[in-house]
């Protein structure tokens, strides 16, 4: 039996705009099980990124609750939230967000340094992550020397190196061409399969959608549709 | 901490020209502050040493009525040498000086002076009093500033008029036998040195003195009618004058530091603004805001560390040159408001180096920290996308 690792209950997020409030998420009730490969899809402004931010403990709900790995996001202090992200969450961003002064190796190693892992363990894990994403020959390159696809692979390796329970990817293929998008998605699908890591994407890219096991459609901050696909690989063929 | 240092170092290196400029400005301020304070310290050292060597000795007994700032007290500022002091004089650990007001008439004008009688063979101060052992009838010794202001040279004869202890005027022509090169103003300007035996005789004050110099090994005793003045007391005027000069220099240090700190502050503000995506990413990866603030603060503080290292590299030869070779300030020496040597040798104490280093480091750290407080208020979801709210 698979466990529910993320759950939202009547989740509402409002942002003050001018003298009024804009409701970005409206009464979201969702649950995610371990090992899911889920996409939150919807047009711009539908609340995808806001939902990911809350699930990633980078933001807090205005009302309702978001429970991630048995921790209520709305009650976490900055420090507790940082600890949750540090130990259990990986992030992949649309613009890669690699640390520009670090090499590929150092960028991937960074989350492990935050976990205060020993040097030998770090080396082992970074090399493993580099193999996952096929960048063993680029260890000494700086982010400015990488293509978009390579940069995103580094970002994936950085998110995965600590083998987190959950990876949150915000539009991971938005800046990539079709070939690179497929490469990245295949890689993430493999990691999901091998490591049982839960992947949650926010996307409106059809290429991503074709790899999903589950698709949650958001419209105007509310869940419009929640679909499961039994054979995503067949779908993408 | 190592992670923070490593990241801060790499970011600093990535800053290239901006980092180089910051470090240069900061190291310039660092070296200049040490240099000027070193010169002031050197001046203090040289003047204190010169005063002790040439004027003060190990301390002085003053006749109670003597006040160097009140010339009117001079007429009565003398006293018979007590037995305790005579004993010291006899064994060479004390020397008597008699002070009398007088007038000289150099180049047809009159000039008030103080006659100072001293034992020509004294060994307590390094004044060239031995010149007063001349076979001439009435030999006189003056300092170079006195010689300059009154237009006197060695061999010149000068008429001196004084009053004896009864107030009767008397006059006599003396001969300048030597001009001493001294930076101690109080034994130079307006002072004429002569044999104490001559002055005691001319004033009708045998065995009387105004000041008694004592050797540094003499333990001061309470002597009726005399007050002991320690070297600290006798140097206090010069020290406070130097402090005033140093206070003026502080304005320059403050301006220099302000410019350097402005550069650091500006860099930090820019860094927080330009690197907000990086900040957001670090927070997303599990760094606490305080840790991110620490990284940025360390990065700024490293500017100070590198500036200190850079300052030590380029500043050391310069500072050493001025400590060893000195700096000629001959033209400024007379206008300084106090006697200063023609050549100043900088003196850098450990306290000065450590104090200035710490000052720079603490200021840079504070200035680096201030703009980073903004990180605490940064919304990570906005920062990740490179936006600010």
């Amino acid at each position: 039996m698979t466990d529910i690792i993320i759950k939202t209950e009547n989740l509402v997020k409002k942002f003050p705009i001018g003298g009024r409030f804009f409701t970005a998420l409206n009464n979201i009730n969702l649950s995610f099980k371990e090992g899911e490969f889920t996409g939150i899809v919807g047009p711009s402004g539908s609340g995808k990124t806001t939902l990911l931010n809350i699930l990633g403990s980078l933001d807090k709900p205005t009302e309702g609750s978001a429970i991630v790995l048995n921790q209520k996001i709305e009650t976490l202090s900055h420090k507790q939230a940082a600890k949750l992200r540090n130990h259990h969450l990986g992030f992949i961003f649309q613009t890669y967000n690699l640390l520009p002064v670090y090499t590929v190796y150092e960028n991937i190693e960074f989350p492990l340094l935050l976990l205060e892992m020993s040097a030998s363990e770090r080396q082992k894990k970074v090399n493993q992550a580099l193999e996952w994403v096929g960048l063993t020959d680029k260890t000494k390159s700086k982010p400015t020397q990488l293509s978009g696809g390579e940069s995103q692979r580094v970002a994936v390796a950085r998110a995965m190196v600590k083998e987190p329970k959950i990876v949150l990817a915000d539009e991971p293929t938005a800046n990539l061409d079709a070939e690179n998008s497929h490469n990245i998605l295949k890689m993430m699908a493999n990691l999901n399969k091998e490591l049982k890591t839960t992947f949650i994407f926010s996307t409106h890219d059809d290429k991503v959608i074709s790899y999903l096991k589950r698709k949650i459609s958001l419209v105007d901050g509310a869940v419009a549709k929640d679909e499961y696909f039994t054979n995503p690989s067949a779908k993408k063929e | 901490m190592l992670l923070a240092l490593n990241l801060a170092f790499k970011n600093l290196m990535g800053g290239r020209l901006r980092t180089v400029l910051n470090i240069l400005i900061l190291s310039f301020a660092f070296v200049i502050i040490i240099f000027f304070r070193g010169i002031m310290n050197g001046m203090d050292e040289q003047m204190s040493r010169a005063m002790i060597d040439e004027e003060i000795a190990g301390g002085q007994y003053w006749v109670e009525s003597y006040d160097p700032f009140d010339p009117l007290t001079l007429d009565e500022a003398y006293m018979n040498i007590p037995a305790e002091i005579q004993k010291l004089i006899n064994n060479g650990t004390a020397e008597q000086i008699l002070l009398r007001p007088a007038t000289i008439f150099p180049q047809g004008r009159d000039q008030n002076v103080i006659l100072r009688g001293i034992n020509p063979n004294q060994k307590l101060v390094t004044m060239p009093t031995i010149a007063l052992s001349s076979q001439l009838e009435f030999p006189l010794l003056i300092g170079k500033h006195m010689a300059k202001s009154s237009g006197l040279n060695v061999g010149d004869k000068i008429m001196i008029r004084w009053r004896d202890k009864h107030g009767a005027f008397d006059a006599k022509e003396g001969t300048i036998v030597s001009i001493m090169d001294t930076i101690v103003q109080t034994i130079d300007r307006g002072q004429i040195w002569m044999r104490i035996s001559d002055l005691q005789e001319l004033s009708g004050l045998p065995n009387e003195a105004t000041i008694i110099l004592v050797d540094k090994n003499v333990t001061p005793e309470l002597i009726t009618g005399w007050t002991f003045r320690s070297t600290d007391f006798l140097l206090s005027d010069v020290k406070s004058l130097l402090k005033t000069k140093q206070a003026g220099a502080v304005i320059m240090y403050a301006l220099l530091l302000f410019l350097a700190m402005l550069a650091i502050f500006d860099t930090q503000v820019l860094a927080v603004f330009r690197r907000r995506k990086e900040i957001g990413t670090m927070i997303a990866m599990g760094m606490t805001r305080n840790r991110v603030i620490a990284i940025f603060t360390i990065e700024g503080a490293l500017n100070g560390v590198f500036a200190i290292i850079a300052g030590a590299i380029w500043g050391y030869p310069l500072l050493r040159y001025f400590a060893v070779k000195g700096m000629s300030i001959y033209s400024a020496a007379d206008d300084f408001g106090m006697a200063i040597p023609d050549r100043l040798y900088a003196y850098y104490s450990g306290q000065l180096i450590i104090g200035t280093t710490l000052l720079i480091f603490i200021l840079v750290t504070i200035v680096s920290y201030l703009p980073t407080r903004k990180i605490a208020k940064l919304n990570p979801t906005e920062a990740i996308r490179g936006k600010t709210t």
Side-chain angles (χ1 to χ4, degrees):
Chain A
M1 184 180 162
T2 47
D3 295 325
I4 289 174
I5 55 170
I6 298 175
K7 194 175 180 186
T8 67
E9 291 168 346
N10 306 319
L11 185 74
V12 175
K13 180 68 186 178
K14 291 177 182 174
F15 292 107
I17 294 176
R20 306 172 66 187
F21 281 94
F22 167 73
T23 306
L25 294 173
N26 190 10
N27 206 29
I28 304 286
N29 289 289
L30 288 168
S31 55
F32 299 86
K33 290 175 187 166
E34 193 179 353
E36 278 196 14
F37 201 75
T38 301
I40 300 165
V41 300
S44 282
S46 58
K48 310 183 291 287
T49 302
T50 305
L51 180 58
L52 276 196
N53 286 338
I54 291 173
L55 299 182
S57 73
L58 291 169
D59 207 350
K60 288 186 176 182
T62 314
E63 290 168 33
S65 183
I67 301 159
V68 177
L69 298 167
N70 295 322
Q71 297 193 58
K72 279 193 171 184
I73 298 297
E74 61 274 17
T75 61
L76 294 180
S77 64
H78 281 311
K79 226 173 178 177
Q80 289 167 324
K83 196 175 173 188
L84 173 69
R85 290 193 296 270
N86 191 7
H87 284 87
H88 302 298
L89 304 181
F91 288 86
I92 300 167
F93 305 102
Q94 179 181 339
T95 50
Y96 330 126
N97 291 32
L98 301 178
L99 300 179
V101 293
Y102 271 3
T103 61
V104 165
Y105 186 96
E106 289 165 335
N107 261 288
I108 299 170
E109 188 188 27
F110 193 79
L112 306 179
L113 288 167
L114 296 182
L115 286 169
E116 293 171 5
M117 230 173 238
S118 70
S120 60
E121 207 174 345
R122 285 201 311 267
Q123 192 182 13
K124 197 175 130 192
K125 283 187 178 287
V126 173
N127 287 334
Q128 188 183 35
L130 280 164
E131 273 173 33
W132 288 339
V133 296
L135 281 175
T136 45
D137 56 334
K138 298 274 183 184
T139 51
K140 287 181 181 164
S141 301
K142 289 277 177 73
T144 48
Q145 298 167 306
L146 302 175
S147 67
E150 286 169 336
S151 295
Q152 197 60 302
R153 277 148 70 191
V154 177
V156 172
R158 184 180 64 183
M160 292 301 300
V161 71
K162 61 186 176 188
E163 297 181 32
K165 290 212 181 317
I166 302 161
V167 170
L168 301 164
D170 188 9
E171 307 271 9
T173 55
N175 282 2
L176 301 179
D177 58 27
E179 191 188 344
N180 274 312
S181 295
H182 280 297
N183 287 339
I184 291 282
L185 288 162
K186 265 186 218 163
M187 199 172 66
M188 289 196 282
N190 284 339
L191 290 169
N192 165 254
K193 205 170 164 184
E194 276 179 39
L195 305 172
K196 300 279 176 246
T197 307
T198 304
F199 278 79
I200 303 175
F201 299 89
S202 85
T203 186
H204 56 256
D205 184 350
D206 288 338
K207 295 185 290 291
V208 177
I209 296 166
S210 64
Y211 281 84
L212 301 176
K213 292 178 187 168
R214 181 187 178 191
K215 184 174 95 175
I216 298 165
S217 303
L218 285 185
V219 177
D220 294 336
V223 176
K225 214 192 269 183
D226 189 353
E227 304 166 86
Y228 286 85
F229 306 110
T230 48
N231 193 355
S233 54
K235 183 163 63 77
K236 75 175 181 259
E237 301 295 324
Chain B
M1 185 66 184
L2 268 178
L3 168 70
L5 264 176
N6 182 278
L7 192 60
F9 177 77
K10 281 177 185 278
N11 275 313
L12 208 59
M13 292 296 109
R16 292 166 196 268
L17 184 64
R18 195 172 55 244
T19 305
V20 170
L21 287 176
N22 280 342
I23 288 171
L24 272 182
I25 292 171
L26 207 53
S27 70
F28 181 72
F30 176 63
V31 172
I32 291 294
I33 289 172
I34 289 185
F35 169 69
F36 274 101
R37 291 188 66 191
I39 287 288
M40 286 288 180
N41 279 357
M43 198 186 290
D44 185 1
E45 277 285 313
Q46 276 173 270
M47 288 178 59
S48 301
R49 206 182 318 128
M51 284 185 73
I52 290 169
D53 290 350
E54 296 177 34
E55 184 193 11
I56 296 171
Q60 299 177 348
Y61 282 101
W62 287 2
V63 167
E64 271 175 1
S65 57
Y66 171 59
D67 178 358
F69 298 109
D70 183 1
L72 296 175
T73 62
L74 277 180
D75 275 330
E76 304 300 326
Y78 55 85
M79 205 171 175
N80 211 294
I81 294 166
E84 305 96 302
I85 290 178
Q86 190 58 55
K87 211 187 297 171
L88 295 174
I89 292 171
N90 293 343
N91 67 25
T93 54
E95 287 294 347
Q96 50 182 323
I97 295 176
L98 178 63
L99 270 58
R100 300 297 295 159
T103 308
I104 58 170
F105 304 91
Q107 294 159 353
R109 58 191 171 85
D110 62 328
Q111 182 183 346
N112 290 329
V113 294
I114 295 172
L115 301 178
R116 287 180 175 247
I118 192 166
N119 171 16
N121 300 313
Q122 61 79 28
K123 299 244 174 353
L124 287 183
V125 287
T126 56
M127 258 196 305
T129 51
I130 195 71
L132 297 172
S133 310
S134 165
Q135 297 302 310
L136 291 170
E137 189 197 349
F138 193 29
L140 305 171
L141 168 69
I142 58 172
K144 64 178 179 182
H145 291 101
M146 175 68 182
K148 194 178 166 190
S149 66
S150 53
L152 292 170
N153 286 308
V154 174
D156 285 356
K157 293 194 180 300
I158 184 91
M159 180 61 71
I160 303 173
R161 188 186 68 183
W162 70 93
R163 288 206 286 191
D164 67 14
K165 70 172 180 180
H166 303 298
F169 280 106
D170 201 351
K172 190 170 183 175
E173 197 174 62
T175 308
I176 307 292
V177 291
S178 180
I179 293 173
M180 62 180 161
D181 185 5
T182 178
I183 61 164
V184 183
Q185 193 164 246
T186 42
I187 61 169
D188 181 346
R189 288 184 196 271
Q191 315 293 317
I192 294 182
W193 294 84
M194 60 177 63
R195 288 190 288 246
I196 188 151
S197 52
D198 287 350
L199 189 57
Q200 284 173 336
E201 186 192 333
L202 295 171
S203 316
L205 297 166
N207 205 34
E208 307 267 351
T210 309
I211 295 170
I212 307 291
L213 306 180
V214 294
D215 185 81
K216 62 177 188 292
N217 297 320
V218 170
T219 311
E221 290 174 33
L222 271 176
I223 301 172
T224 313
W226 296 82
T227 309
F228 183 76
R229 302 296 189 189
S230 66
T231 49
D232 286 344
F233 175 86
L234 294 166
L235 289 171
S236 60
D237 288 336
V238 168
K239 298 267 183 199
S240 51
L241 204 58
L242 271 171
K243 268 188 186 158
T244 315
K245 296 282 176 194
Q246 278 175 337
V250 165
I251 295 170
M252 190 189 68
Y253 308 154
L255 276 173
L256 269 173
L257 279 175
F258 177 74
L259 283 176
M261 294 307 140
L262 199 66
I264 302 288
F265 188 83
D266 186 48
T267 303
Q268 288 292 88
V269 171
L270 199 68
V272 173
F273 179 75
R274 282 177 49 174
R275 289 163 54 195
R276 54 202 181 279
K277 193 189 261 191
E278 205 178 309
I279 294 167
T281 308
M282 286 177 187
I283 293 172
M285 283 195 283
M287 256 194 182
T288 58
R289 283 173 169 82
N290 286 341
R291 209 163 169 192
V292 180
I293 287 172
I295 285 180
F296 276 73
T297 305
I298 288 171
E299 198 176 310
L302 274 182
N303 276 300
V305 173
F306 287 129
I308 288 161
I309 294 168
I313 291 168
W314 73 259
Y316 177 76
L318 193 79
L319 296 175
R320 186 169 162 72
Y321 175 84
F322 286 110
V324 175
K325 301 277 181 191
M327 181 175 71
S328 173
I329 52 156
Y330 185 76
S331 56
D334 283 347
D335 304 326
F336 200 70
M338 55 200 264
I340 50 172
D342 297 339
R343 184 162 279 274
L344 280 177
Y345 294 89
Y347 171 69
Y348 316 107
S349 62
Q351 192 189 359
L352 166 67
I353 307 270
I354 293 168
T356 311
T357 306
L358 278 178
L359 173 79
I360 297 268
F361 184 72
I362 291 168
L363 279 179
V364 170
T365 307
I366 292 169
V367 168
S368 302
Y369 165 72
L370 293 176
T372 63
R373 289 177 307 166
K374 206 176 167 158
I375 293 170
K377 292 174 191 161
L378 211 60
N379 181 348
T381 61
E382 299 283 320
I384 285 166
R385 286 183 288 167
K387 291 181 183 173
T388 46
T389 44

